[in-house]
Amino acid sequence: MYLLQGTLFSFEEWLKIESKDRLPLFFETLDLRPYVKEMKKSSPQGARGYSREAILRAFLAAPMEEISTLTRLHQR
C-alpha cells in the first residue's frame, strides 16, 4: 500500500518566508507529540535531563539551518 504524503508548504511559499520565521512556522505545523511518546524513555547510556522533544526538534532543524555534524549541532 502506498500513501502520498501531503506537503506542508510549497517550495515557492517556503522561499517567501523570512529565514528567521521558518523554524517556528515549521514546528507549529508539525505535531511531534506522537513521535516523542514513542521514543525510548530509559537508556543505560546518554545524558539525563534533556527534553526528548527538544532533541527531536534539533535533529529536524539541523538540515534547514545547514548544520551538517552532531558537533556543530551541539555547539549551536
Side-chain angles (χ1 to χ4, degrees), residues 56-73:
L56 180 58
R57 285 174 181 255
F59 279 117
L60 292 172
M64 289 186 275
E65 295 292 315
E66 298 178 8
I67 299 171
S68 58
T69 66
L70 289 176
T71 302
R72 286 189 59 217
L73 181 61

Side-chain angles (χ1 to χ4, degrees), residues 35-55:
Y35 304 103
V36 172
K37 188 173 130 183
E38 293 298 320
M39 292 172 76
K40 197 173 188 178
K41 294 192 181 198
S42 62
S43 171
Q45 299 176 356
R48 307 238 189 287
Y50 289 96
S51 164
R52 296 185 191 298
E53 185 171 353
I55 293 170

